[in-house]
Amino acid sequence: MSPGTQYTPYHPKWYRHRVSVWWWLQNRSYVYFVLRELTSVFVGLWALLLLWQLRALVQGPEAYAHFLAQMRRPFFVALNGVGLLFILFHTITWFNLAPKAMVVRVGGKRVPDWTIAGLNYIAWVLLSVAVAAVLLRG
Amino acid sequence: MPPSVTLAVTRYRPEQESEPSLQTYEVPFRKDWVVLDALNYIKDNLDGSLSFRWSCRMGVCGSCGMMVNGSPKLTCAAFLSDDLPGPIRVEPLQYFPIIRDLVVDMGDFMHKLKKVKPWIIRKEEKPLAEGEYLQTPDQLEMYKQFSMCINCMLCYAACPIYGLEPGFIGPAAIALAQRYNLDSRDEAARERLEILSEHDGMWQCTFVGECTKVCPKSVDPAGAIQQLKLVGAVDWFKFLLPWGTK
């Protein structure tokens, strides 16, 4: 480009495609991505359910019995079922992506991706076992 | 093996038409031909008016990136035999403005690339007499992967965030910023972190991950962006701590 040339960022003759609202159906990884983003809704819902449960617990046995009765209704059973699937998807996809963000070097060599992801899974299993142990003991 | 294959190629002649359309060409099929060979066959034998960029034919120059059947690819590395029986759709890199046929405007990328200061910055240059800045193989290894970028912009065409938010500084520019941040000779990581922490910087990325998948040089821009986010987040927490660096 010669010094006298004016660069025109919005040239009228250049053609710009509009991005379709359905861009995320263009290929499978976009669909997975949008599903992964959607999992945050269910993570949020579960957090709200947990808060509701805690509130019922604080209010006494009657309120807690009411909470449990609510949870047995088909709507909440379905919500929890779908929620579980989305949260598993959330957990597994993020654990698998963790090595991308975490570069750990030991003795100058990069720790392989499967080690980082594996440590996440091990921590997940250990914490789940610990929680299960606490719950089943009582 | 089919005797020929059909290519549906984007044509856009701004002086004649208001929007692009696909034109089909029948080219001979050869086992060792890539899409770029077919385009050159069209240009030489069928239609000399077809415009497209290319140079090295061996995945080094980064000029011949196009959408092949909807995926961003270097056409010099996309074999016709991988997309049989055809027709093979060849379109300009998506999300970029089309100048003519398969040629897109790369001004936006060039501008963004410059913004992240992809060169070695020293607080103080040492005198020439003191010699080069030496580097060990381990230090080279830290950033080598990110230095393989050939600026082909396939990662931009793969990034829906760039399509939806054209201001996003984008995968390759961030990966190249990280390349210099990790270089032991460079001292401007802080400066680049501030540029990348702006509204259109790394936080626009929602980790779709397609940039890494389409990269012909295995640069892993998605990894670079997440690693920078981690640096940015740690930096922010340090700022919150009373004894942290202000």
Side-chain angles (χ1 to χ4, degrees):
Chain A
M1 204 182 276
S2 69
T5 315
Q6 274 280 312
Y7 172 64
T8 320
Y10 295 100
H11 196 286
K13 292 249 174 167
W14 294 352
Y15 187 83
R16 283 176 176 76
H17 276 290
R18 278 179 68 93
V19 177
S20 155
V21 181
W22 307 106
W23 63 267
W24 51 279
L25 293 174
Q26 194 180 326
N27 69 39
R28 198 181 296 170
S29 21
Y30 289 176
V31 176
Y32 279 142
F33 160 71
V34 167
L35 280 178
R36 200 184 71 210
E37 293 290 280
L38 203 63
T39 58
S40 59
V41 173
F42 291 91
V43 174
L45 274 177
W46 269 24
L48 288 176
L49 281 180
L50 184 67
L51 288 176
W52 185 19
Q53 185 174 13
L54 286 176
R55 181 164 164 267
L57 198 63
V58 170
Q59 283 172 340
E62 209 173 297
Y64 198 70
H66 174 71
F67 170 80
L68 288 181
Q70 288 289 325
M71 284 301 119
R72 276 186 211 106
R73 285 172 50 195
F75 172 76
F76 280 106
V77 173
L79 185 73
N80 276 311
V82 175
L84 179 66
L85 289 179
F86 270 91
I87 284 165
L88 283 175
F89 186 71
H90 181 96
T91 311
I92 290 165
T93 47
W94 280 116
F95 278 0
N96 291 347
L97 289 173
K100 286 265 179 233
M102 290 181 70
V103 178
V104 182
R105 282 173 201 276
V106 176
K109 288 270 173 288
R110 187 170 168 175
V111 176
D113 284 3
W114 60 265
T115 317
I116 307 269
L119 287 173
N120 276 296
Y121 282 105
I122 291 170
W124 185 25
V125 170
L126 288 181
L127 283 172
S128 300
V129 169
V131 170
V134 170
L135 289 179
L136 295 176
R137 203 183 48 180
Chain B
M1 214 164 64
S4 67
V5 61
T6 306
L7 259 65
V9 183
T10 298
R11 298 305 312 265
Y12 175 57
R13 288 144 295 198
E15 69 284 357
Q16 287 173 28
E17 54 215 359
S18 59
E19 56 183 68
S21 54
L22 288 175
Q23 187 170 341
T24 53
Y25 299 98
E26 193 82 11
V27 298
F29 174 79
R30 294 200 195 149
K31 182 160 84 13
D32 54 351
W33 266 16
V34 289
V35 173
L36 182 61
D37 292 319
L39 291 175
N40 275 322
Y41 179 87
I42 296 170
K43 179 110 181 151
D44 293 343
N45 300 289
L46 306 176
D47 186 348
S49 71
L50 181 68
S51 303
F52 53 96
R53 285 199 186 101
W54 66 285
S55 179
C56 78
R57 298 173 291 112
M58 48 197 221
V60 175
C61 74
S63 309
C64 69
M66 293 167 211
M67 305 298 288
V68 178
N69 278 342
S71 301
K73 282 181 183 165
L74 292 183
T75 49
C76 68
F79 282 93
L80 293 175
S81 56
D82 291 341
D83 285 294
L84 288 180
I88 302 173
R89 217 159 13 98
V90 185
E91 297 165 298
L93 283 181
Q94 67 179 350
Y95 308 138
F96 288 96
I98 306 169
I99 298 176
R100 184 180 194 87
D101 298 341
L102 297 162
V103 181
V104 295
D105 172 48
M106 53 169 87
D108 183 51
F109 169 64
M110 290 303 168
H111 169 74
K112 284 169 177 164
L113 186 59
K114 199 172 155 194
K115 205 175 155 190
V116 301
K117 307 194 176 180
W119 51 81
I120 288 174
I121 300 173
R122 302 282 303 181
K123 290 196 179 100
E124 214 169 317
E125 287 284 351
K126 66 178 183 183
L128 273 183
E130 283 179 33
E132 312 88 329
Y133 295 103
L134 297 177
Q135 203 162 49
T136 66
D138 278 350
Q139 287 170 326
L140 169 69
E141 200 49 46
M142 293 286 283
Y143 67 84
K144 194 174 171 206
Q145 182 184 20
F146 300 135
S147 75
M148 303 311 281
C149 176
I150 54 172
N151 301 356
C152 65
M153 310 189 297
L154 296 194
C155 53
Y156 283 75
C159 175
I161 308 303
Y162 180 62
L164 296 163
E165 303 278 349
F168 176 41
I169 202 152
I174 303 182
L176 282 162
Q178 181 70 341
R179 175 249 174 274
Y180 285 92
N181 285 350
L182 295 177
D183 192 315
S184 59
R185 300 163 294 180
D186 181 84
E187 293 175 330
R190 178 94 234 161
E191 202 178 321
R192 286 191 205 96
L193 186 64
E194 268 166 40
I195 297 166
L196 293 172
S197 301
E198 284 171 15
H199 180 71
D200 284 330
M202 60 192 181
W203 296 106
Q204 286 271 15
C205 167
T206 48
F207 206 173
V208 181
E210 274 297 284
C211 51
T212 293
K213 281 194 205 151
V214 302
C215 180
K217 293 285 162 185
S218 308
V219 168
D220 191 11
I225 301 174
Q226 310 325 309
Q227 288 157 31
L228 265 164
K229 282 183 187 170
L230 195 62
V231 174
V234 168
D235 195 65
W236 186 74
F237 279 112
K238 275 190 197 152
F239 178 80
L240 282 187
L241 296 171
W243 58 87
T245 44
K246 292 281 185 296

